[in-house]
Amino acid sequence: DTAVSQTPKYLVTQMGNDKSIKCEQNLGHDTMYWYKQDSKKFLKIMFSYNNKELIINETVPNRFSPKSPDKAHLNLHINSLELGDSAVYFCASSQALAGQNEQFFGPGTRLTVL
Amino acid sequence: AQKITQTQPGMFVQEKEAVTLDCTYDTSDQSYGLFWYKQPSSGEMIFLIYQGSYDEQNATEGRYSLNFQKARKSANLVISASQLGDSAMYFCAMRENQYGGSQGNLIFGKGTKLSVKP
């Protein structure tokens, strides 16, 4: 059973389109995250949610809107896609915000904006 | 200033030898956690090892050990008896405010690409 799953795995779209990436975790964790990995492999936090509440919105354009319908899901919607949005997006979860809790990552979604 | 610095963009190691991947960090917090992740070419992120700032002993997990030198703010990963399957990107990461007030997120270094030669 996959602990953290993301769909789709690959997403190719035109500039200006709106797209969504879904994330689900079956670990019973309270905290979920979205990270962006750029072409140089640098990983940066975008959002973190704890018990469905937004904790971090890390200087991300408001074209990006996370939505957490329940603790097991954290979806990412992106409006008006731009070329610079091309990256790999990782969803992750951890048992809590703090403590010795490693983050479990999903397989990533490779977004290509043409 | 960078919070996590990995100075080795790429490294080579001979199969069966040990290798050390460097990581230094910068924080004013007293409580923090340090993590290492492996990212093979397939792209997934695999957790390897964790060290808490208050842990007195260096963490070990199988062939992985963490050489934690708190005064020098370094948390180097040591991989013993390298295997071909160890070829991957390795990321050092930190979580600040580990025991209160944490926002939960990991701050990553830029990674080190390790290549294991047969």
Side-chain angles (χ1 to χ4, degrees), chain A residues 14-29:
Chain A
Q14 299 286 332
M15 249 184 357
N17 283 350
D18 303 338
K19 289 293 177 187
S20 291
I21 306 172
K22 294 187 176 181
C23 177
E24 177 181 2
Q25 54 95 2
N26 62 7
L27 298 166
H29 287 168

Side-chain angles (χ1 to χ4, degrees), chain B residues 54-93:
Chain B
Y54 295 128
D55 295 343
E56 294 188 353
Q57 300 219 339
N58 286 343
T60 59
E61 287 286 348
R63 293 187 299 112
Y64 304 108
S65 60
L66 203 152
N67 184 359
F68 181 46
Q69 297 187 45
K70 194 169 179 176
R72 298 177 65 180
K73 293 190 173 178
S74 76
N76 299 339
L77 177 71
V78 180
I79 306 174
S80 62
S82 297
Q83 301 172 356
L84 296 177
D86 294 335
S87 294
M89 282 287 285
Y90 288 82
F91 293 96
C92 180

Side-chain angles (χ1 to χ4, degrees), chain A residues 67-82:
Chain A
K67 285 201 172 42
S68 182
D70 54 57
K71 285 201 308 184
H73 296 85
L74 180 62
N75 303 323
L76 184 65
H77 188 76
I78 316 169
N79 288 328
S80 304
L81 277 154
E82 301 177 357

Side-chain angles (χ1 to χ4, degrees), chain A residues 101-114:
Chain A
N101 295 301
E102 71 263 31
Q103 292 185 11
F104 292 81
F105 282 76
T109 295
R110 182 174 293 276
L111 172 65
T112 303
V113 183
L114 304 174

Side-chain angles (χ1 to χ4, degrees), chain A:
Chain A
D1 279 349
T2 306
V4 183
S5 59
Q6 293 178 230
T7 53
K9 191 164 171 60
Y10 299 96
L11 188 50
V12 180
T13 189
Q14 299 286 332
M15 249 184 357
N17 283 350
D18 303 338
K19 289 293 177 187
S20 291
I21 306 172
K22 294 187 176 181
C23 177
E24 177 181 2
Q25 54 95 2
N26 62 7
L27 298 166
H29 287 168
D30 286 342
T31 312
M32 295 185 73
Y33 312 83
W34 277 108
Y35 289 87
K36 178 180 180 181
Q37 186 173 42
D38 63 23
S39 58
K40 295 184 179 176
K41 300 286 190 181
F42 184 58
L43 274 149
K44 194 168 175 348
I45 184 71
M46 298 175 69
F47 302 101
S48 71
Y49 266 73
N50 190 51
N51 285 317
K52 301 196 301 172
E53 289 195 17
L54 179 66
I55 303 296
I56 294 178
N57 177 348
E58 190 68 23
T59 60
V60 175
N62 57 14
R63 297 182 296 104
F64 291 79
S65 53
K67 285 201 172 42
S68 182
D70 54 57
K71 285 201 308 184
H73 296 85
L74 180 62
N75 303 323
L76 184 65
H77 188 76
I78 316 169
N79 288 328
S80 304
L81 277 154
E82 301 177 357
L83 293 175
D85 298 331
S86 294
V88 179
Y89 292 84
F90 283 98
C91 177
S93 74
S94 63
Q95 193 165 5
L97 281 174
Q100 185 181 338
N101 295 301
E102 71 263 31
Q103 292 185 11
F104 292 81
F105 282 76
T109 295
R110 182 174 293 276
L111 172 65
T112 303
V113 183
L114 304 174

